[in-house]
Amino acid sequence: PGMAVARALLVLLAADAAVPVKNPLLNICMDAKHHKRQPGPEGKLHDQCSPWKDNACCTANTSSEAHRDQSNLYNFNWNHCGVMPPKCKRHFIQDTCLYECSPNLGPWIDQVDSSWRRERILHVPLCKEDCEEWWEDCKDARTCKENWHEGWNWATGTNHCPRGFLCRPFSEVFPRPKDLCEKIWSHSYQQSPARRGSGLCIQMWFDPARGNPNQVVARYYAWRKRSSPGQVEKGAPERGRAVLALPSPVLALLPPALLLLPGAAGGSGAPRT
Ligand SMILES: *[C@@H]1O[C@H](CO)[C@@H](O)[C@H](O)[C@H]1NC(C)=O
């Protein structure tokens, strides 16, 4: 009976040890134009980027630049079809903050063959409200292009509408919130059916007083991706809340742990010690 208790204790220890195993998709910065190599605290992050100050992939300088028109980050001109209204622009600033600062986008990092970055994000499940509010506040702003990643006229050093592309309201170029979120940065985002606070979608906007909600979301998708590689980016989450997924690494690691225990595997094998 003493042996059984010892065995039970070992199983518990093994389960405990399995929890903090490091997943390489968690708490990382992508290899792109302005990202730090490793995330870390950044006390002076500017204004809309400040929610990431406890742990960020952006520097203070990048966070300030993210708020400027035609910043030195990408020389991108938000005002290519007249001045972008501030209520719309704040969403593009927030989108830039998430992209530059978030250490929680690991599960959606994709390798690219590009002159200015080696990695990008693909199919990040953006919370439904983030998409809807972005669209609502921008629907009367104007643009000439659906995909802002490519096809601009950069002859002057900043982007202008290419010949033949007329300025139209966002609501025509992007009929639904989903069109805006998904098409503007060539599928960096997908509109998630999940809502803010569900633990199943990435939030562009959050109140840092209660921590960064995207941490648990990344953890959920990172472990899912590990157990079924290639499945995570596509489609809606089909399981329940993120909490339900947390034991899965424990379950995945338990059988080998059990096999290491003398006699615990049962069946034919004789105890080796
Ligand atoms: C960020 O750094 C660049 C290069 O050192 C500098 O030119 C720029 O003025 C800085 N931006 C801000 C907002 O401090």
Side-chain angles (χ1 to χ4, degrees), residues 1-52:
M3 190 59 193
V5 172
R7 227 170 250 169
L9 271 174
L10 273 171
V11 169
L12 279 175
L13 279 174
D16 221 41
V19 178
V21 162
K22 196 166 153 49
N23 185 309
L25 300 176
L26 295 176
N27 196 38
I28 54 169
C29 300
M30 73 185 99
D31 182 356
K33 195 172 177 196
H34 302 289
H35 288 71
K36 289 158 51 181
R37 293 182 58 116
Q38 303 283 339
E42 290 288 337
K44 300 241 161 61
L45 292 192
H46 191 64
D47 194 13
Q48 284 184 230
C49 295
S50 65
W52 283 275

Short mmCIF file of all heavy atoms in Angstrom, two decimals, residues 1-52:
data_model
loop_
_atom_site.label_atom_id
_atom_site.label_comp_id
_atom_site.label_asym_id
_atom_site.label_seq_id
_atom_site.Cartn_x
_atom_site.Cartn_y
_atom_site.Cartn_z
N PRO A 1 0.84 -1.21 0.00
CA PRO A 1 0.00 0.00 0.00
C PRO A 1 0.88 1.27 0.00
O PRO A 1 0.54 2.24 -0.66
CB PRO A 1 -0.81 -0.09 1.30
CG PRO A 1 -0.24 -1.25 2.07
CD PRO A 1 0.68 -2.01 1.19
N GLY A 2 2.02 1.22 0.70
CA GLY A 2 2.94 2.35 0.72
C GLY A 2 3.44 2.67 -0.69
O GLY A 2 3.50 3.84 -1.08
N MET A 3 3.70 1.62 -1.42
CA MET A 3 4.17 1.79 -2.81
C MET A 3 3.12 2.50 -3.66
O MET A 3 3.43 3.37 -4.48
CB MET A 3 4.47 0.39 -3.37
CG MET A 3 5.18 0.38 -4.69
SD MET A 3 6.78 1.24 -4.63
CE MET A 3 7.14 1.39 -6.36
N ALA A 4 1.86 2.11 -3.46
CA ALA A 4 0.77 2.73 -4.23
C ALA A 4 0.69 4.22 -3.96
O ALA A 4 0.50 5.03 -4.88
CB ALA A 4 -0.55 2.05 -3.90
N VAL A 5 0.87 4.58 -2.68
CA VAL A 5 0.80 6.00 -2.32
C VAL A 5 1.95 6.75 -2.99
O VAL A 5 1.78 7.82 -3.58
CB VAL A 5 0.88 6.19 -0.78
CG1 VAL A 5 1.00 7.66 -0.43
CG2 VAL A 5 -0.36 5.60 -0.13
N ALA A 6 3.16 6.15 -2.95
CA ALA A 6 4.32 6.77 -3.57
C ALA A 6 4.10 6.97 -5.06
O ALA A 6 4.41 8.01 -5.63
CB ALA A 6 5.55 5.89 -3.35
N ARG A 7 3.51 5.96 -5.67
CA ARG A 7 3.22 6.02 -7.10
C ARG A 7 2.25 7.15 -7.43
O ARG A 7 2.45 7.93 -8.33
CB ARG A 7 2.61 4.68 -7.54
CG ARG A 7 3.24 4.14 -8.78
CD ARG A 7 2.78 2.74 -9.03
NE ARG A 7 3.84 1.78 -8.82
CZ ARG A 7 3.63 0.46 -8.77
NH1 ARG A 7 2.40 -0.01 -8.83
NH2 ARG A 7 4.64 -0.34 -8.62
N ALA A 8 1.19 7.23 -6.60
CA ALA A 8 0.19 8.28 -6.79
C ALA A 8 0.84 9.65 -6.67
O ALA A 8 0.56 10.56 -7.45
CB ALA A 8 -0.93 8.12 -5.76
N LEU A 9 1.74 9.77 -5.70
CA LEU A 9 2.43 11.05 -5.50
C LEU A 9 3.29 11.40 -6.72
O LEU A 9 3.29 12.54 -7.18
CB LEU A 9 3.32 10.98 -4.26
CG LEU A 9 2.63 11.37 -2.94
CD1 LEU A 9 3.55 11.12 -1.77
CD2 LEU A 9 2.18 12.82 -2.98
N LEU A 10 3.97 10.39 -7.25
CA LEU A 10 4.81 10.61 -8.42
C LEU A 10 3.97 11.06 -9.62
O LEU A 10 4.36 11.96 -10.37
CB LEU A 10 5.58 9.34 -8.77
CG LEU A 10 6.92 9.20 -8.03
CD1 LEU A 10 7.50 7.82 -8.26
CD2 LEU A 10 7.90 10.26 -8.50
N VAL A 11 2.80 10.44 -9.76
CA VAL A 11 1.91 10.82 -10.86
C VAL A 11 1.50 12.28 -10.72
O VAL A 11 1.52 13.05 -11.68
CB VAL A 11 0.67 9.90 -10.90
CG1 VAL A 11 -0.38 10.45 -11.86
CG2 VAL A 11 1.08 8.50 -11.31
N LEU A 12 1.17 12.67 -9.50
CA LEU A 12 0.78 14.05 -9.26
C LEU A 12 1.92 15.01 -9.58
O LEU A 12 1.73 16.03 -10.21
CB LEU A 12 0.37 14.23 -7.79
CG LEU A 12 -1.07 13.80 -7.47
CD1 LEU A 12 -1.33 13.90 -5.98
CD2 LEU A 12 -2.08 14.63 -8.26
N LEU A 13 3.13 14.61 -9.15
CA LEU A 13 4.30 15.45 -9.43
C LEU A 13 4.52 15.59 -10.93
O LEU A 13 4.80 16.67 -11.44
CB LEU A 13 5.55 14.85 -8.78
CG LEU A 13 5.72 15.16 -7.29
CD1 LEU A 13 6.91 14.38 -6.73
CD2 LEU A 13 5.89 16.65 -7.05
N ALA A 14 4.39 14.47 -11.62
CA ALA A 14 4.58 14.48 -13.07
C ALA A 14 3.56 15.41 -13.73
O ALA A 14 3.89 16.20 -14.62
CB ALA A 14 4.45 13.07 -13.63
N ALA A 15 2.31 15.34 -13.27
CA ALA A 15 1.25 16.18 -13.82
C ALA A 15 1.57 17.65 -13.56
O ALA A 15 1.41 18.51 -14.42
CB ALA A 15 -0.08 15.80 -13.21
N ASP A 16 2.06 17.91 -12.36
CA ASP A 16 2.39 19.27 -11.97
C ASP A 16 3.51 19.82 -12.84
O ASP A 16 3.47 20.94 -13.32
CB ASP A 16 2.82 19.25 -10.51
CG ASP A 16 2.26 20.45 -9.76
OD1 ASP A 16 1.09 20.80 -10.00
OD2 ASP A 16 3.00 21.03 -8.98
N ALA A 17 4.53 18.97 -13.05
CA ALA A 17 5.68 19.39 -13.82
C ALA A 17 5.31 19.64 -15.27
O ALA A 17 5.94 20.42 -15.97
CB ALA A 17 6.77 18.34 -13.74
N ALA A 18 4.26 18.97 -15.74
CA ALA A 18 3.87 19.09 -17.14
C ALA A 18 3.27 20.46 -17.45
O ALA A 18 3.36 20.94 -18.57
CB ALA A 18 2.87 18.01 -17.50
N VAL A 19 2.69 21.10 -16.48
CA VAL A 19 2.00 22.37 -16.73
C VAL A 19 2.91 23.48 -17.25
O VAL A 19 2.62 24.09 -18.27
CB VAL A 19 1.21 22.84 -15.49
CG1 VAL A 19 0.53 24.17 -15.76
CG2 VAL A 19 0.16 21.79 -15.13
N PRO A 20 4.06 23.74 -16.61
CA PRO A 20 4.86 24.87 -17.09
C PRO A 20 5.76 24.57 -18.28
O PRO A 20 6.58 25.40 -18.63
CB PRO A 20 5.71 25.27 -15.87
CG PRO A 20 5.63 24.14 -14.92
CD PRO A 20 4.66 23.15 -15.41
N VAL A 21 5.59 23.44 -18.94
CA VAL A 21 6.40 23.14 -20.12
C VAL A 21 6.26 24.28 -21.12
O VAL A 21 5.18 24.76 -21.38
CB VAL A 21 5.95 21.81 -20.77
CG1 VAL A 21 6.46 21.71 -22.20
CG2 VAL A 21 6.43 20.64 -19.96
N LYS A 22 7.37 24.74 -21.69
CA LYS A 22 7.36 25.91 -22.56
C LYS A 22 6.92 25.52 -23.96
O LYS A 22 7.43 24.59 -24.56
CB LYS A 22 8.75 26.53 -22.59
CG LYS A 22 8.75 27.92 -23.14
CD LYS A 22 10.07 28.60 -22.83
CE LYS A 22 10.41 29.67 -23.85
NZ LYS A 22 9.36 30.61 -24.16
N ASN A 23 5.94 26.24 -24.43
CA ASN A 23 5.50 26.05 -25.80
C ASN A 23 6.18 27.14 -26.64
O ASN A 23 6.12 28.31 -26.32
CB ASN A 23 3.98 26.20 -25.86
CG ASN A 23 3.41 25.89 -27.24
OD1 ASN A 23 3.89 26.42 -28.24
ND2 ASN A 23 2.42 25.04 -27.28
N PRO A 24 6.88 26.73 -27.74
CA PRO A 24 7.66 27.71 -28.52
C PRO A 24 6.80 28.77 -29.22
O PRO A 24 7.35 29.74 -29.73
CB PRO A 24 8.40 26.84 -29.54
CG PRO A 24 7.64 25.57 -29.60
CD PRO A 24 7.01 25.36 -28.26
N LEU A 25 5.49 28.59 -29.22
CA LEU A 25 4.62 29.58 -29.87
C LEU A 25 4.18 30.67 -28.89
O LEU A 25 3.49 31.61 -29.28
CB LEU A 25 3.37 28.89 -30.44
CG LEU A 25 3.62 27.81 -31.50
CD1 LEU A 25 2.31 27.15 -31.91
CD2 LEU A 25 4.30 28.43 -32.71
N LEU A 26 4.56 30.52 -27.62
CA LEU A 26 4.08 31.47 -26.61
C LEU A 26 5.14 32.49 -26.22
O LEU A 26 6.33 32.18 -26.16
CB LEU A 26 3.63 30.70 -25.37
CG LEU A 26 2.42 29.80 -25.59
CD1 LEU A 26 2.11 28.99 -24.33
CD2 LEU A 26 1.20 30.62 -26.00
N ASN A 27 4.65 33.71 -25.97
CA ASN A 27 5.51 34.80 -25.50
C ASN A 27 6.73 35.01 -26.41
O ASN A 27 7.86 34.96 -25.97
CB ASN A 27 5.95 34.50 -24.05
CG ASN A 27 6.51 35.74 -23.38
OD1 ASN A 27 6.01 36.84 -23.59
ND2 ASN A 27 7.54 35.57 -22.59
N ILE A 28 6.44 35.28 -27.67
CA ILE A 28 7.52 35.51 -28.64
C ILE A 28 7.21 36.74 -29.51
O ILE A 28 6.07 37.18 -29.58
CB ILE A 28 7.75 34.30 -29.57
CG1 ILE A 28 6.44 33.88 -30.25
CG2 ILE A 28 8.36 33.13 -28.82
CD1 ILE A 28 6.65 32.88 -31.38
N CYS A 29 8.25 37.25 -30.14
CA CYS A 29 8.11 38.35 -31.09
C CYS A 29 8.41 37.83 -32.48
O CYS A 29 9.34 37.04 -32.66
CB CYS A 29 9.09 39.47 -30.77
SG CYS A 29 8.85 40.18 -29.12
N MET A 30 7.63 38.30 -33.47
CA MET A 30 7.92 37.82 -34.82
C MET A 30 9.18 38.51 -35.36
O MET A 30 9.61 39.55 -34.86
CB MET A 30 6.71 38.02 -35.73
CG MET A 30 6.43 39.43 -36.16
SD MET A 30 4.87 39.51 -37.10
CE MET A 30 3.75 40.06 -35.82
N ASP A 31 9.75 37.89 -36.37
CA ASP A 31 10.96 38.42 -37.00
C ASP A 31 10.49 39.31 -38.15
O ASP A 31 10.28 38.85 -39.27
CB ASP A 31 11.79 37.22 -37.51
CG ASP A 31 13.09 37.65 -38.15
OD1 ASP A 31 13.33 38.87 -38.27
OD2 ASP A 31 13.86 36.76 -38.54
N ALA A 32 10.30 40.59 -37.83
CA ALA A 32 9.79 41.52 -38.84
C ALA A 32 10.59 42.83 -38.76
O ALA A 32 11.67 42.86 -38.19
CB ALA A 32 8.30 41.74 -38.64
N LYS A 33 10.04 43.91 -39.28
CA LYS A 33 10.85 45.12 -39.47
C LYS A 33 11.27 45.81 -38.17
O LYS A 33 12.41 46.23 -38.04
CB LYS A 33 10.09 46.09 -40.37
CG LYS A 33 10.97 47.19 -40.91
CD LYS A 33 10.25 48.02 -41.95
CE LYS A 33 11.17 49.17 -42.42
NZ LYS A 33 10.42 50.21 -43.13
N HIS A 34 10.34 45.95 -37.22
CA HIS A 34 10.65 46.75 -36.03
C HIS A 34 10.57 45.99 -34.71
O HIS A 34 10.78 46.58 -33.66
CB HIS A 34 9.69 47.94 -35.95
CG HIS A 34 9.74 48.83 -37.15
ND1 HIS A 34 10.82 49.64 -37.43
CD2 HIS A 34 8.87 49.00 -38.18
CE1 HIS A 34 10.59 50.29 -38.56
NE2 HIS A 34 9.43 49.92 -39.04
N HIS A 35 10.22 44.71 -34.76
CA HIS A 35 10.03 43.97 -33.51
C HIS A 35 11.33 43.72 -32.74
O HIS A 35 12.38 43.50 -33.34
CB HIS A 35 9.37 42.61 -33.80
CG HIS A 35 7.93 42.74 -34.19
ND1 HIS A 35 7.53 43.26 -35.39
CD2 HIS A 35 6.79 42.42 -33.52
CE1 HIS A 35 6.20 43.25 -35.45
NE2 HIS A 35 5.73 42.75 -34.33
N LYS A 36 11.22 43.78 -31.42
CA LYS A 36 12.33 43.36 -30.58
C LYS A 36 12.54 41.86 -30.77
O LYS A 36 11.64 41.17 -31.25
CB LYS A 36 11.99 43.65 -29.11
CG LYS A 36 11.98 45.13 -28.75
CD LYS A 36 11.15 45.43 -27.51
CE LYS A 36 11.50 44.56 -26.31
NZ LYS A 36 10.64 44.89 -25.14
N ARG A 37 13.69 41.38 -30.36
CA ARG A 37 13.92 39.94 -30.48
C ARG A 37 13.11 39.15 -29.47
O ARG A 37 12.63 38.05 -29.76
CB ARG A 37 15.40 39.62 -30.31
CG ARG A 37 16.26 40.16 -31.46
CD ARG A 37 17.69 39.76 -31.22
NE ARG A 37 17.78 38.31 -31.13
CZ ARG A 37 18.45 37.56 -31.99
NH1 ARG A 37 19.08 38.14 -32.99
NH2 ARG A 37 18.49 36.26 -31.86
N GLN A 38 13.03 39.72 -28.27
CA GLN A 38 12.29 39.06 -27.18
C GLN A 38 11.34 40.06 -26.55
O GLN A 38 11.69 41.23 -26.45
CB GLN A 38 13.27 38.63 -26.07
CG GLN A 38 14.39 37.72 -26.50
CD GLN A 38 13.91 36.30 -26.68
OE1 GLN A 38 12.86 35.92 -26.14
NE2 GLN A 38 14.63 35.51 -27.46
N PRO A 39 10.16 39.60 -26.11
CA PRO A 39 9.28 40.53 -25.40
C PRO A 39 9.83 40.86 -24.01
O PRO A 39 10.58 40.08 -23.44
CB PRO A 39 7.96 39.76 -25.30
CG PRO A 39 8.30 38.33 -25.45
CD PRO A 39 9.60 38.25 -26.21
N GLY A 40 9.43 42.02 -23.51
CA GLY A 40 9.85 42.41 -22.17
C GLY A 40 9.15 43.70 -21.77
O GLY A 40 8.46 44.30 -22.60
N PRO A 41 9.32 44.13 -20.53
CA PRO A 41 8.66 45.34 -20.05
C PRO A 41 9.15 46.58 -20.81
O PRO A 41 10.33 46.66 -21.14
CB PRO A 41 9.07 45.41 -18.58
CG PRO A 41 9.69 44.12 -18.24
CD PRO A 41 10.15 43.49 -19.52
N GLU A 42 8.24 47.49 -21.07
CA GLU A 42 8.55 48.75 -21.74
C GLU A 42 7.74 49.84 -21.04
O GLU A 42 6.59 50.10 -21.38
CB GLU A 42 8.15 48.70 -23.23
CG GLU A 42 9.00 47.81 -24.10
CD GLU A 42 10.40 48.38 -24.34
OE1 GLU A 42 10.59 49.60 -24.23
OE2 GLU A 42 11.30 47.57 -24.64
N GLY A 43 8.36 50.48 -20.07
CA GLY A 43 7.63 51.44 -19.23
C GLY A 43 7.02 52.62 -19.95
O GLY A 43 6.02 53.17 -19.50
N LYS A 44 7.60 53.01 -21.09
CA LYS A 44 7.21 54.29 -21.70
C LYS A 44 6.40 54.13 -22.99
O LYS A 44 6.47 55.00 -23.87
CB LYS A 44 8.47 55.11 -22.01
CG LYS A 44 9.31 55.44 -20.78
CD LYS A 44 9.42 56.94 -20.58
CE LYS A 44 9.84 57.33 -19.17
NZ LYS A 44 11.16 56.82 -18.80
N LEU A 45 5.65 53.08 -23.13
CA LEU A 45 4.89 52.92 -24.37
C LEU A 45 3.87 54.04 -24.48
O LEU A 45 3.20 54.41 -23.52
CB LEU A 45 4.21 51.55 -24.44
CG LEU A 45 5.14 50.35 -24.59
CD1 LEU A 45 4.34 49.11 -24.93
CD2 LEU A 45 6.21 50.59 -25.64
N HIS A 46 3.74 54.55 -25.71
CA HIS A 46 2.92 55.74 -25.95
C HIS A 46 1.42 55.43 -26.04
O HIS A 46 1.01 54.49 -26.70
CB HIS A 46 3.41 56.40 -27.25
CG HIS A 46 2.86 57.75 -27.48
ND1 HIS A 46 3.13 58.82 -26.66
CD2 HIS A 46 2.01 58.22 -28.43
CE1 HIS A 46 2.49 59.89 -27.11
NE2 HIS A 46 1.81 59.55 -28.18
N ASP A 47 0.65 56.25 -25.35
CA ASP A 47 -0.80 56.38 -25.51
C ASP A 47 -1.53 55.04 -25.82
O ASP A 47 -1.61 54.19 -24.96
CB ASP A 47 -1.05 57.43 -26.59
CG ASP A 47 -2.50 57.92 -26.64
OD1 ASP A 47 -3.24 57.64 -25.70
OD2 ASP A 47 -2.87 58.58 -27.63
N GLN A 48 -2.00 54.87 -27.04
CA GLN A 48 -2.82 53.69 -27.35
C GLN A 48 -2.05 52.37 -27.28
O GLN A 48 -2.66 51.30 -27.21
CB GLN A 48 -3.44 53.82 -28.74
CG GLN A 48 -4.62 54.78 -28.78
CD GLN A 48 -5.29 54.84 -30.16
OE1 GLN A 48 -5.50 55.91 -30.67
NE2 GLN A 48 -5.61 53.71 -30.76
N CYS A 49 -0.73 52.43 -27.29
CA CYS A 49 0.07 51.20 -27.18
C CYS A 49 0.37 50.85 -25.72
O CYS A 49 0.91 49.77 -25.44
CB CYS A 49 1.38 51.32 -27.94
SG CYS A 49 1.23 51.49 -29.73
N SER A 50 0.03 51.75 -24.80
CA SER A 50 0.42 51.54 -23.40
C SER A 50 -0.15 50.26 -22.75
O SER A 50 0.47 49.75 -21.81
CB SER A 50 0.10 52.77 -22.55
OG SER A 50 -1.28 52.98 -22.50
N PRO A 51 -1.29 49.72 -23.21
CA PRO A 51 -1.75 48.46 -22.60
C PRO A 51 -0.72 47.32 -22.66
O PRO A 51 -0.82 46.38 -21.88
CB PRO A 51 -3.00 48.11 -23.41
CG PRO A 51 -3.54 49.42 -23.86
CD PRO A 51 -2.31 50.26 -24.15
N TRP A 52 0.25 47.44 -23.55
CA TRP A 52 1.24 46.35 -23.69
C TRP A 52 2.50 46.58 -22.86
O TRP A 52 3.47 45.84 -22.98
CB TRP A 52 1.60 46.16 -25.17
CG TRP A 52 0.54 45.42 -25.94
CD1 TRP A 52 0.40 44.06 -26.03
CD2 TRP A 52 -0.55 45.98 -26.68
NE1 TRP A 52 -0.70 43.75 -26.80
CE2 TRP A 52 -1.31 44.92 -27.20
CE3 TRP A 52 -0.98 47.29 -26.95
CZ2 TRP A 52 -2.45 45.11 -27.99
CZ3 TRP A 52 -2.10 47.49 -27.72
CH2 TRP A 52 -2.83 46.40 -28.23
#
